Amino acid sequence: MNLKISALEYVQEVKNGNISAEDYVAKTIEHIQNVDDKLHAFLSVNNDAIDQAREIDKKIKSGKKVGDCFGMPISIKDNLCIKGSKTTCASKMLKDFIAPYDATAITKLKEQDAIFVGKVNMDEFAMGLTTEFSAYGPSKNPWNTEYVPGGSSGGSAVSVSAFECVASLGSDTGGSVRNPASFCSTVGYKPTYGLISRFGLISYANSIEQIGPLTRTVKDTAFMLNLISGIDPNDNTTIDNHQEDYLSGIDSGIEGKKIGIIQEMMGEGIDPSVLRATKEAISKLEGLGAICENVSLDMVKYSVAAYYTITATEAGSNLARYDNLRYGYDFPVEGYEFNSYISKARKNFGPEVTRRMILGGFVPSSGHAGKYFLKALKVKTKLTKEINDAFEKFDLLIAPTVPILPFKFGEKIDNPISLFLVDINTITANLTGKPAISVPFSHSNGLPIGIQLIANSNHDKLLLQAAYALEQTVTLPVVPL
C-alpha cells in the first residue's frame, strides 16, 4: 500500500473503494513501528486507531454520512488537548497529565472523521527551534538523522515527511510550524491571527501563537484549513472567515500579482545555497507573470529581540500555573515550606523553559518594564506599520523561510543567541498577525530548503494560490526511507 499519497489523494482513494481506512491506518501504524525508533517523531501512539478506522469503513459501507477526512491518519503536536489522552508538552512537568477536553481544532477534525494516530514530539512547552529541548529526547531529521528537524513542531514535520501520517497539526509562535517544514521538506502554514481557534492549545505566548497544519502539498493545507478555521465562542480572538473555501480557485495563478522581496531577510548571514534557491523561486514566480521588486522592512533587524522579550513575558505568566499544586507530578510535600516546595518542583522544567521563565519575570518587573517590555511592544507596532505600508504596494512578500540549512545536533544548543537568530525570517508574520507559508522548493547537499510567502491579514486564500503556483514549478525527491 502506498503511504506516500497526499491527503486529497487519500480521500479520493477511499471514496473510490481502492483502499479502506482500516488497511491504510494499520499500514501507517506498522510504518511508525518500523521507522520511529530511528526518527522519534512520536511521544505516544493511539492504540485504538485501527478500531476507529474499522468503524469508519462500516459507516462507508452502510451508506451513512462520513466526514470529509474519511479516517485520514493525522498526528497531533503534544501541546494540543485530546480528551482522555496524555498531553505532556514534551515536559516532565506534565508527564502524567490527561486532557479533560478536546481542543476546538481537534473537535472539528473528529467531526470530519479524522483519526489521530498519536501525539508527536516538540520542544518543551514549544520553546525551541530544533526539538532538542524535548524532555524525552530530540526528533531526527528524516533526510539525515544527524541533523535537527527544526522546531518547536519538529515531531509534526518529521511525521509528515517520513509518511507516518497524512497530515499533522502544530503550533507556530515564531516560526514553529514553518521552520521544521522548511528543514523537513513539508508545507507549513501559519494562518492569519484568529483564523484558527487556540482553545485547547496549551499556551506559550497567547498574543502571537497560532495552530497551523503541516502537510505534503499546498492543496492539503487548504483542505485542512477548510476543516479547522472559523469563529469559536471559546476563543474571543477568533475571526469569522464566512466559511471560506480555501481550495476553491487555488489554481488561479499569480499573473499580475506584485511580490515584495524582503531585503532584510536576504542579506548578511544567509547561506549561499539558500540565497540561490530564493532567487530561483523569484525567477519562477516572475515566469508565471508575477512582478517582483525589492522592499525594505527596517524593523526586521529588531524583531528577534522584540519577539523574545514579548514571548518570555507571556510565557512567564502562563507557566506560573505549574506550581505542582494544580498541575504536576507526584512529589513529596513533607519538609518544605511553600516557596521552597515550588522551587524544588519546578526543577522538572528543562533549561530553555527555565531560561525564558527567568527572563519573563525580569523584563516586565518594576523599573524594567519601560526599558524592555514597552520598547518591544513599540517595535511590534512599528513593524506592523511597516508591513501594512508594504501591502499598500504589494500583494505578497517573499523570503527564505530559514536563512540557513538544517544543522547538526549540538551545533547551536549552547549558543542561545545564535539559535534565536534562526527564526529571524519567520518572526515577522507572528508579531504582525499575518498569514505565512513555507513551501518546499529545493535541496542542497541532501538537505531541504523552504521558501516563505507572506500575505496581508485575511488574505489566506491569495497566499495559498501563490504557494500552489510556486509548488507547481518544482519536482522534489521524497525522503529515502
Side-chain angles (χ1 to χ4, degrees), residues 69 72-76 109 114-118 165-169 224:
C69 287
M72 181 186 303
I74 295 174
S75 72
I76 303 296
L109 287 175
I115 290 178
F116 308 122
V117 287
C165 61
V166 173
S168 185
L169 286 189
M224 292 287 288

Side-chain angles (χ1 to χ4, degrees), residues 211-226:
I211 294 169
L214 294 97
T215 64
R216 294 208 238 290
T217 70
V218 174
K219 278 190 173 181
D220 286 357
T221 291
F223 170 77
M224 292 287 288
L225 209 55
N226 281 347

Side-chain angles (χ1 to χ4, degrees), residues 21-22 48-62 64 66 113 115:
E22 180 184 353
D48 298 325
I50 297 173
D51 291 338
Q52 292 166 0
R54 187 178 300 120
E55 290 303 310
I56 289 168
D57 285 333
K58 287 179 182 178
K59 284 172 67 176
I60 295 170
K61 289 175 183 176
S62 64
K64 294 180 181 178
V66 182
D113 285 322
I115 290 178

Side-chain angles (χ1 to χ4, degrees), residues 153-195:
S153 306
S156 293
V158 172
S159 63
V160 174
S161 181
F163 312 110
E164 296 176 286
C165 61
V166 173
S168 185
L169 286 189
S171 64
D172 193 308
T173 311
S176 289
V177 163
R178 289 161 288 152
N179 171 303
S182 178
F183 278 10
C184 293
S185 197
T186 72
V187 178
Y189 196 78
K190 182 262 167 197
T192 294
Y193 184 77
L195 186 62

Side-chain angles (χ1 to χ4, degrees), residues 76-83 85-89 94 97 99-107 119 169-171 196-204 206 209 211 232 234-235 238 321-322:
I76 303 296
K77 187 176 180 178
D78 202 28
N79 59 351
L80 277 160
C81 290
I82 301 177
K83 186 177 181 179
S85 299
K86 272 192 178 184
T87 303
T88 72
C89 287
L94 291 178
F97 175 64
Y101 61 91
D102 285 325
T104 296
I106 297 299
T107 299
K119 289 295 200 73
L169 286 189
S171 64
I196 299 172
S197 170
R198 288 182 295 105
F199 180 74
L201 170 68
I202 295 178
S203 297
Y204 166 19
N206 311 53
E209 66 190 357
I211 294 169
D232 177 18
N234 291 315
D235 180 357
T238 51
R321 74 192 73 177
Y322 300 106

Side-chain angles (χ1 to χ4, degrees), residues 254-257 259-261 266 274-294 398-400 441 451-453 466 469-474:
I254 55 167
E255 186 171 357
K257 300 299 182 186
I259 301 176
I261 307 163
M266 298 274 286
V274 175
L275 182 60
R276 283 194 301 272
T278 307
K279 288 181 176 179
E280 183 185 351
I282 292 166
S283 177
K284 298 270 191 184
L285 291 170
E286 288 176 331
L288 296 172
I291 303 159
C292 299
E293 298 175 359
N294 293 337
I398 191 171
F441 185 77
I451 301 298
Q452 178 179 228
L453 292 166
L470 179 61
E471 179 186 58
Q472 300 311 296
T473 66
V474 292

